[in-house]
Amino acid sequence: MDLNRVQMFDQVVEQGSFTAAAKALGLTKATVSRKIAELEADAGVQLLFRTTRKLKLTEAGSAYYNRVHRILADLKQAEVQLSASQEVIKGKLRIVCPIELGQLFLGKIFARFLGRYPDISIEAELSNRKVDVIEEDVDILFQITSTTDTRLQSYDLLNTTKTLMASPEYLTRYGTPKTPQDLNQHKAIKLKSAHIDASWTLFDGDKWVTLDPEAQLTVNNVTLAREAAIEGLGIATVPNIIAQQALDNKQLIPLLEDFPMTQTKVIMSFPQRAYLPKKYRVFIEFIYESLSQNPNNILLETPDFISKSQK
């Protein structure tokens, strides 16, 4: 017996058409139609009446469907039970994340997660380099970016609002900019890397304006830019998730809040798999559980397997 043909027949009946069944199975309509015809030929009996408007089961087809549908359901349940009984939540997760995100955010989450799952270990690399998840055998990749690798399953977690900011001391000395054009008269601390453009782009209410003020300090690390801004060197653009503590403590003052900057996102990616290992699932669930505890976090995308309470 060709179980694939039986599953296709079951889906044709469930979906009500060859087209819908093919879409659900990720196959072409021609393939599904051919396989059902082969099933009927081998059985020597017609299972479906085909018309231009709809499909209808023959008497033999109805009896056959009732039997195989129950069998397929039992097989699926047996597979679920086997996985649940055999899979232990253990193993190592290799995780790569941006330096600043790891230092200020993920470290606490890792500690709580490993306390809950003592048989899992994490090997974390904090790096702002470009990572090839497939070639480097990485399990989970966190990025602050706007683009992703199409070979990966990726979820946008949060928007990372970027804000221009400076210390109170700097603003007392040099004044507070009122419009984007005023920035050209100020000292900048620029953030630049292979994936980050050093220029500043703001929306002035009518159009996006790109500015490139003079910088005495250009760095490739946002934490360094933040600390230099706290010391009064100049104006820096820093994601709020990285600068929140300094903002709360009034070490940095947000500027030009009526002129929003282009946003990036915190994105979580992992290799595409037909079956997601349990260690992946519990870690991803824990990430969403942790993020959902902060009412200020607006989660952008959520995997289907995450419970509704965490969405």
PDB file of all heavy atoms in Angstrom, residues 204-235:
ATOM      1  N   ASP A 204      10.718  64.387   8.492  1.00  0.00           N
ATOM      2  CA  ASP A 204      10.448  65.766   8.927  1.00  0.00           C
ATOM      3  C   ASP A 204       8.970  66.143   8.850  1.00  0.00           C
ATOM      4  O   ASP A 204       8.614  67.313   8.951  1.00  0.00           O
ATOM      5  CB  ASP A 204      11.294  66.754   8.118  1.00  0.00           C
ATOM      6  CG  ASP A 204      10.882  66.841   6.650  1.00  0.00           C
ATOM      7  OD1 ASP A 204       9.949  66.110   6.249  1.00  0.00           O
ATOM      8  OD2 ASP A 204      11.494  67.627   5.906  1.00  0.00           O
ATOM      9  N   GLY A 205       8.101  65.147   8.691  1.00  0.00           N
ATOM     10  CA  GLY A 205       6.675  65.393   8.579  1.00  0.00           C
ATOM     11  C   GLY A 205       6.194  65.394   7.147  1.00  0.00           C
ATOM     12  O   GLY A 205       4.996  65.268   6.885  1.00  0.00           O
ATOM     13  N   ASP A 206       7.147  65.500   6.213  1.00  0.00           N
ATOM     14  CA  ASP A 206       6.806  65.526   4.804  1.00  0.00           C
ATOM     15  C   ASP A 206       7.616  64.502   4.015  1.00  0.00           C
ATOM     16  O   ASP A 206       7.104  63.831   3.130  1.00  0.00           O
ATOM     17  CB  ASP A 206       7.041  66.931   4.235  1.00  0.00           C
ATOM     18  CG  ASP A 206       6.714  67.015   2.759  1.00  0.00           C
ATOM     19  OD1 ASP A 206       5.647  66.504   2.369  1.00  0.00           O
ATOM     20  OD2 ASP A 206       7.520  67.586   1.999  1.00  0.00           O
ATOM     21  N   LYS A 207       8.868  64.369   4.359  1.00  0.00           N
ATOM     22  CA  LYS A 207       9.758  63.460   3.637  1.00  0.00           C
ATOM     23  C   LYS A 207      10.877  63.001   4.563  1.00  0.00           C
ATOM     24  O   LYS A 207      11.100  63.570   5.639  1.00  0.00           O
ATOM     25  CB  LYS A 207      10.354  64.169   2.412  1.00  0.00           C
ATOM     26  CG  LYS A 207      11.208  65.379   2.737  1.00  0.00           C
ATOM     27  CD  LYS A 207      11.682  66.065   1.477  1.00  0.00           C
ATOM     28  CE  LYS A 207      12.567  67.282   1.805  1.00  0.00           C
ATOM     29  NZ  LYS A 207      11.869  68.281   2.619  1.00  0.00           N
ATOM     30  N   TRP A 208      11.575  61.955   4.121  1.00  0.00           N
ATOM     31  CA  TRP A 208      12.740  61.468   4.858  1.00  0.00           C
ATOM     32  C   TRP A 208      13.938  62.336   4.506  1.00  0.00           C
ATOM     33  O   TRP A 208      14.203  62.601   3.335  1.00  0.00           O
ATOM     34  CB  TRP A 208      13.021  60.010   4.525  1.00  0.00           C
ATOM     35  CG  TRP A 208      11.998  59.069   5.084  1.00  0.00           C
ATOM     36  CD1 TRP A 208      10.944  58.517   4.420  1.00  0.00           C
ATOM     37  CD2 TRP A 208      11.927  58.593   6.425  1.00  0.00           C
ATOM     38  NE1 TRP A 208      10.210  57.710   5.264  1.00  0.00           N
ATOM     39  CE2 TRP A 208      10.793  57.741   6.503  1.00  0.00           C
ATOM     40  CE3 TRP A 208      12.697  58.789   7.566  1.00  0.00           C
ATOM     41  CZ2 TRP A 208      10.425  57.099   7.674  1.00  0.00           C
ATOM     42  CZ3 TRP A 208      12.332  58.147   8.739  1.00  0.00           C
ATOM     43  CH2 TRP A 208      11.204  57.320   8.799  1.00  0.00           C
ATOM     44  N   VAL A 209      14.645  62.768   5.543  1.00  0.00           N
ATOM     45  CA  VAL A 209      15.810  63.628   5.379  1.00  0.00           C
ATOM     46  C   VAL A 209      17.030  62.884   5.897  1.00  0.00           C
ATOM     47  O   VAL A 209      17.036  62.401   7.037  1.00  0.00           O
ATOM     48  CB  VAL A 209      15.638  64.951   6.155  1.00  0.00           C
ATOM     49  CG1 VAL A 209      16.891  65.809   6.035  1.00  0.00           C
ATOM     50  CG2 VAL A 209      14.416  65.706   5.660  1.00  0.00           C
ATOM     51  N   THR A 210      18.067  62.780   5.079  1.00  0.00           N
ATOM     52  CA  THR A 210      19.304  62.118   5.481  1.00  0.00           C
ATOM     53  C   THR A 210      20.374  63.159   5.752  1.00  0.00           C
ATOM     54  O   THR A 210      20.639  64.033   4.910  1.00  0.00           O
ATOM     55  CB  THR A 210      19.787  61.140   4.396  1.00  0.00           C
ATOM     56  OG1 THR A 210      18.790  60.129   4.213  1.00  0.00           O
ATOM     57  CG2 THR A 210      21.090  60.467   4.810  1.00  0.00           C
ATOM     58  N   LEU A 211      20.977  63.074   6.937  1.00  0.00           N
ATOM     59  CA  LEU A 211      21.992  64.036   7.367  1.00  0.00           C
ATOM     60  C   LEU A 211      23.295  63.307   7.659  1.00  0.00           C
ATOM     61  O   LEU A 211      23.292  62.151   8.090  1.00  0.00           O
ATOM     62  CB  LEU A 211      21.519  64.785   8.621  1.00  0.00           C
ATOM     63  CG  LEU A 211      20.182  65.527   8.485  1.00  0.00           C
ATOM     64  CD1 LEU A 211      19.672  65.930   9.845  1.00  0.00           C
ATOM     65  CD2 LEU A 211      20.343  66.752   7.600  1.00  0.00           C
ATOM     66  N   ASP A 212      24.386  64.020   7.459  1.00  0.00           N
ATOM     67  CA  ASP A 212      25.698  63.422   7.704  1.00  0.00           C
ATOM     68  C   ASP A 212      26.588  64.445   8.414  1.00  0.00           C
ATOM     69  O   ASP A 212      27.566  64.949   7.845  1.00  0.00           O
ATOM     70  CB  ASP A 212      26.322  62.983   6.373  1.00  0.00           C
ATOM     71  CG  ASP A 212      27.512  62.049   6.567  1.00  0.00           C
ATOM     72  OD1 ASP A 212      27.681  61.534   7.685  1.00  0.00           O
ATOM     73  OD2 ASP A 212      28.271  61.857   5.601  1.00  0.00           O
ATOM     74  N   PRO A 213      26.264  64.763   9.680  1.00  0.00           N
ATOM     75  CA  PRO A 213      27.030  65.794  10.386  1.00  0.00           C
ATOM     76  C   PRO A 213      28.456  65.333  10.686  1.00  0.00           C
ATOM     77  O   PRO A 213      28.755  64.143  10.682  1.00  0.00           O
ATOM     78  CB  PRO A 213      26.234  65.991  11.679  1.00  0.00           C
ATOM     79  CG  PRO A 213      25.492  64.710  11.874  1.00  0.00           C
ATOM     80  CD  PRO A 213      25.181  64.214  10.503  1.00  0.00           C
ATOM     81  N   GLU A 214      29.310  66.279  10.964  1.00  0.00           N
ATOM     82  CA  GLU A 214      30.709  65.977  11.251  1.00  0.00           C
ATOM     83  C   GLU A 214      30.821  65.196  12.556  1.00  0.00           C
ATOM     84  O   GLU A 214      30.123  65.484  13.528  1.00  0.00           O
ATOM     85  CB  GLU A 214      31.503  67.270  11.335  1.00  0.00           C
ATOM     86  CG  GLU A 214      32.986  67.056  11.566  1.00  0.00           C
ATOM     87  CD  GLU A 214      33.744  68.370  11.628  1.00  0.00           C
ATOM     88  OE1 GLU A 214      33.147  69.412  11.303  1.00  0.00           O
ATOM     89  OE2 GLU A 214      34.928  68.346  12.000  1.00  0.00           O
ATOM     90  N   ALA A 215      31.701  64.220  12.553  1.00  0.00           N
ATOM     91  CA  ALA A 215      31.877  63.385  13.748  1.00  0.00           C
ATOM     92  C   ALA A 215      33.330  63.406  14.192  1.00  0.00           C
ATOM     93  O   ALA A 215      34.239  63.208  13.385  1.00  0.00           O
ATOM     94  CB  ALA A 215      31.442  61.963  13.465  1.00  0.00           C
ATOM     95  N   GLN A 216      33.524  63.612  15.487  1.00  0.00           N
ATOM     96  CA  GLN A 216      34.862  63.490  16.051  1.00  0.00           C
ATOM     97  C   GLN A 216      35.155  62.047  16.431  1.00  0.00           C
ATOM     98  O   GLN A 216      36.300  61.612  16.460  1.00  0.00           O
ATOM     99  CB  GLN A 216      34.993  64.394  17.280  1.00  0.00           C
ATOM    100  CG  GLN A 216      36.417  64.477  17.827  1.00  0.00           C
ATOM    101  CD  GLN A 216      36.535  65.433  18.993  1.00  0.00           C
ATOM    102  OE1 GLN A 216      35.540  66.037  19.408  1.00  0.00           O
ATOM    103  NE2 GLN A 216      37.736  65.599  19.516  1.00  0.00           N
ATOM    104  N   LEU A 217      34.074  61.282  16.677  1.00  0.00           N
ATOM    105  CA  LEU A 217      34.221  59.875  17.049  1.00  0.00           C
ATOM    106  C   LEU A 217      33.277  59.023  16.203  1.00  0.00           C
ATOM    107  O   LEU A 217      32.071  59.275  16.154  1.00  0.00           O
ATOM    108  CB  LEU A 217      33.898  59.665  18.536  1.00  0.00           C
ATOM    109  CG  LEU A 217      33.925  58.224  19.050  1.00  0.00           C
ATOM    110  CD1 LEU A 217      35.331  57.639  18.960  1.00  0.00           C
ATOM    111  CD2 LEU A 217      33.404  58.142  20.485  1.00  0.00           C
ATOM    112  N   THR A 218      33.825  58.019  15.529  1.00  0.00           N
ATOM    113  CA  THR A 218      33.037  57.039  14.780  1.00  0.00           C
ATOM    114  C   THR A 218      33.399  55.661  15.313  1.00  0.00           C
ATOM    115  O   THR A 218      34.579  55.312  15.407  1.00  0.00           O
ATOM    116  CB  THR A 218      33.346  57.106  13.275  1.00  0.00           C
ATOM    117  OG1 THR A 218      33.023  58.415  12.787  1.00  0.00           O
ATOM    118  CG2 THR A 218      32.521  56.078  12.505  1.00  0.00           C
ATOM    119  N   VAL A 219      32.396  54.866  15.680  1.00  0.00           N
ATOM    120  CA  VAL A 219      32.631  53.563  16.307  1.00  0.00           C
ATOM    121  C   VAL A 219      31.752  52.506  15.646  1.00  0.00           C
ATOM    122  O   VAL A 219      30.801  52.833  14.932  1.00  0.00           O
ATOM    123  CB  VAL A 219      32.340  53.607  17.834  1.00  0.00           C
ATOM    124  CG1 VAL A 219      33.240  54.610  18.526  1.00  0.00           C
ATOM    125  CG2 VAL A 219      30.872  53.959  18.089  1.00  0.00           C
ATOM    126  N   ASN A 220      32.062  51.238  15.905  1.00  0.00           N
ATOM    127  CA  ASN A 220      31.243  50.147  15.376  1.00  0.00           C
ATOM    128  C   ASN A 220      30.500  49.414  16.485  1.00  0.00           C
ATOM    129  O   ASN A 220      30.001  48.319  16.286  1.00  0.00           O
ATOM    130  CB  ASN A 220      32.104  49.154  14.587  1.00  0.00           C
ATOM    131  CG  ASN A 220      33.065  48.380  15.481  1.00  0.00           C
ATOM    132  OD1 ASN A 220      33.302  48.760  16.632  1.00  0.00           O
ATOM    133  ND2 ASN A 220      33.613  47.298  14.956  1.00  0.00           N
ATOM    134  N   ASN A 221      30.434  50.042  17.665  1.00  0.00           N
ATOM    135  CA  ASN A 221      29.800  49.415  18.820  1.00  0.00           C
ATOM    136  C   ASN A 221      28.862  50.416  19.468  1.00  0.00           C
ATOM    137  O   ASN A 221      29.285  51.502  19.883  1.00  0.00           O
ATOM    138  CB  ASN A 221      30.867  48.934  19.810  1.00  0.00           C
ATOM    139  CG  ASN A 221      30.259  48.260  21.033  1.00  0.00           C
ATOM    140  OD1 ASN A 221      29.830  48.933  21.950  1.00  0.00           O
ATOM    141  ND2 ASN A 221      30.215  46.936  21.023  1.00  0.00           N
ATOM    142  N   VAL A 222      27.584  50.048  19.564  1.00  0.00           N
ATOM    143  CA  VAL A 222      26.584  50.992  20.052  1.00  0.00           C
ATOM    144  C   VAL A 222      26.756  51.289  21.534  1.00  0.00           C
ATOM    145  O   VAL A 222      26.440  52.394  21.998  1.00  0.00           O
ATOM    146  CB  VAL A 222      25.161  50.468  19.742  1.00  0.00           C
ATOM    147  CG1 VAL A 222      24.810  49.266  20.598  1.00  0.00           C
ATOM    148  CG2 VAL A 222      24.127  51.569  19.922  1.00  0.00           C
ATOM    149  N   THR A 223      27.267  50.345  22.306  1.00  0.00           N
ATOM    150  CA  THR A 223      27.500  50.604  23.726  1.00  0.00           C
ATOM    151  C   THR A 223      28.569  51.679  23.903  1.00  0.00           C
ATOM    152  O   THR A 223      28.451  52.560  24.763  1.00  0.00           O
ATOM    153  CB  THR A 223      27.925  49.316  24.447  1.00  0.00           C
ATOM    154  OG1 THR A 223      26.910  48.321  24.263  1.00  0.00           O
ATOM    155  CG2 THR A 223      28.107  49.558  25.934  1.00  0.00           C
ATOM    156  N   LEU A 224      29.618  51.615  23.093  1.00  0.00           N
ATOM    157  CA  LEU A 224      30.663  52.634  23.142  1.00  0.00           C
ATOM    158  C   LEU A 224      30.103  53.996  22.758  1.00  0.00           C
ATOM    159  O   LEU A 224      30.413  55.021  23.389  1.00  0.00           O
ATOM    160  CB  LEU A 224      31.811  52.241  22.211  1.00  0.00           C
ATOM    161  CG  LEU A 224      33.010  53.194  22.131  1.00  0.00           C
ATOM    162  CD1 LEU A 224      33.588  53.454  23.517  1.00  0.00           C
ATOM    163  CD2 LEU A 224      34.074  52.611  21.205  1.00  0.00           C
ATOM    164  N   ALA A 225      29.251  54.019  21.725  1.00  0.00           N
ATOM    165  CA  ALA A 225      28.613  55.276  21.329  1.00  0.00           C
ATOM    166  C   ALA A 225      27.752  55.825  22.455  1.00  0.00           C
ATOM    167  O   ALA A 225      27.763  57.041  22.735  1.00  0.00           O
ATOM    168  CB  ALA A 225      27.773  55.058  20.072  1.00  0.00           C
ATOM    169  N   ARG A 226      27.012  54.965  23.113  1.00  0.00           N
ATOM    170  CA  ARG A 226      26.166  55.389  24.235  1.00  0.00           C
ATOM    171  C   ARG A 226      27.002  55.983  25.356  1.00  0.00           C
ATOM    172  O   ARG A 226      26.681  57.050  25.905  1.00  0.00           O
ATOM    173  CB  ARG A 226      25.366  54.194  24.753  1.00  0.00           C
ATOM    174  CG  ARG A 226      24.432  54.518  25.911  1.00  0.00           C
ATOM    175  CD  ARG A 226      23.979  53.234  26.602  1.00  0.00           C
ATOM    176  NE  ARG A 226      25.110  52.543  27.204  1.00  0.00           N
ATOM    177  CZ  ARG A 226      25.064  51.284  27.647  1.00  0.00           C
ATOM    178  NH1 ARG A 226      23.950  50.583  27.528  1.00  0.00           N
ATOM    179  NH2 ARG A 226      26.130  50.729  28.203  1.00  0.00           N
ATOM    180  N   GLU A 227      28.102  55.314  25.720  1.00  0.00           N
ATOM    181  CA  GLU A 227      28.926  55.781  26.824  1.00  0.00           C
ATOM    182  C   GLU A 227      29.610  57.109  26.491  1.00  0.00           C
ATOM    183  O   GLU A 227      29.744  57.981  27.360  1.00  0.00           O
ATOM    184  CB  GLU A 227      29.973  54.724  27.178  1.00  0.00           C
ATOM    185  CG  GLU A 227      29.382  53.445  27.748  1.00  0.00           C
ATOM    186  CD  GLU A 227      28.509  53.713  28.967  1.00  0.00           C
ATOM    187  OE1 GLU A 227      29.034  54.246  29.969  1.00  0.00           O
ATOM    188  OE2 GLU A 227      27.295  53.409  28.917  1.00  0.00           O
ATOM    189  N   ALA A 228      30.033  57.263  25.227  1.00  0.00           N
ATOM    190  CA  ALA A 228      30.640  58.536  24.827  1.00  0.00           C
ATOM    191  C   ALA A 228      29.618  59.665  24.888  1.00  0.00           C
ATOM    192  O   ALA A 228      29.951  60.804  25.267  1.00  0.00           O
ATOM    193  CB  ALA A 228      31.224  58.416  23.417  1.00  0.00           C
ATOM    194  N   ALA A 229      28.368  59.361  24.522  1.00  0.00           N
ATOM    195  CA  ALA A 229      27.316  60.373  24.611  1.00  0.00           C
ATOM    196  C   ALA A 229      27.044  60.747  26.060  1.00  0.00           C
ATOM    197  O   ALA A 229      26.844  61.927  26.389  1.00  0.00           O
ATOM    198  CB  ALA A 229      26.045  59.859  23.940  1.00  0.00           C
ATOM    199  N   ILE A 230      27.039  59.777  26.964  1.00  0.00           N
ATOM    200  CA  ILE A 230      26.830  60.051  28.393  1.00  0.00           C
ATOM    201  C   ILE A 230      27.912  60.990  28.921  1.00  0.00           C
ATOM    202  O   ILE A 230      27.650  61.880  29.748  1.00  0.00           O
ATOM    203  CB  ILE A 230      26.810  58.730  29.192  1.00  0.00           C
ATOM    204  CG1 ILE A 230      25.526  57.944  28.882  1.00  0.00           C
ATOM    205  CG2 ILE A 230      26.914  58.997  30.694  1.00  0.00           C
ATOM    206  CD1 ILE A 230      25.477  56.562  29.503  1.00  0.00           C
ATOM    207  N   GLU A 231      29.132  60.826  28.392  1.00  0.00           N
ATOM    208  CA  GLU A 231      30.243  61.666  28.833  1.00  0.00           C
ATOM    209  C   GLU A 231      30.225  63.056  28.203  1.00  0.00           C
ATOM    210  O   GLU A 231      31.091  63.888  28.490  1.00  0.00           O
ATOM    211  CB  GLU A 231      31.573  60.976  28.518  1.00  0.00           C
ATOM    212  CG  GLU A 231      31.832  59.736  29.349  1.00  0.00           C
ATOM    213  CD  GLU A 231      31.863  60.031  30.844  1.00  0.00           C
ATOM    214  OE1 GLU A 231      32.507  61.029  31.233  1.00  0.00           O
ATOM    215  OE2 GLU A 231      31.230  59.269  31.611  1.00  0.00           O
ATOM    216  N   GLY A 232      29.256  63.315  27.323  1.00  0.00           N
ATOM    217  CA  GLY A 232      29.104  64.658  26.774  1.00  0.00           C
ATOM    218  C   GLY A 232      29.876  64.959  25.514  1.00  0.00           C
ATOM    219  O   GLY A 232      30.020  66.125  25.135  1.00  0.00           O
ATOM    220  N   LEU A 233      30.348  63.910  24.811  1.00  0.00           N
ATOM    221  CA  LEU A 233      31.139  64.142  23.608  1.00  0.00           C
ATOM    222  C   LEU A 233      30.301  64.672  22.453  1.00  0.00           C
ATOM    223  O   LEU A 233      30.778  65.457  21.632  1.00  0.00           O
ATOM    224  CB  LEU A 233      31.858  62.860  23.189  1.00  0.00           C
ATOM    225  CG  LEU A 233      32.762  62.974  21.973  1.00  0.00           C
ATOM    226  CD1 LEU A 233      33.929  63.930  22.259  1.00  0.00           C
ATOM    227  CD2 LEU A 233      33.278  61.610  21.545  1.00  0.00           C
ATOM    228  N   GLY A 234      29.058  64.249  22.346  1.00  0.00           N
ATOM    229  CA  GLY A 234      28.234  64.693  21.233  1.00  0.00           C
ATOM    230  C   GLY A 234      26.889  63.996  21.225  1.00  0.00           C
ATOM    231  O   GLY A 234      26.476  63.372  22.217  1.00  0.00           O
ATOM    232  N   ILE A 235      26.194  64.081  20.078  1.00  0.00           N
ATOM    233  CA  ILE A 235      24.883  63.466  19.901  1.00  0.00           C
ATOM    234  C   ILE A 235      25.070  62.099  19.249  1.00  0.00           C
ATOM    235  O   ILE A 235      25.814  61.964  18.271  1.00  0.00           O
ATOM    236  CB  ILE A 235      23.978  64.349  19.022  1.00  0.00           C
ATOM    237  CG1 ILE A 235      23.715  65.692  19.721  1.00  0.00           C
ATOM    238  CG2 ILE A 235      22.662  63.646  18.721  1.00  0.00           C
ATOM    239  CD1 ILE A 235      22.942  66.676  18.857  1.00  0.00           C
TER     240      ILE A 235
END
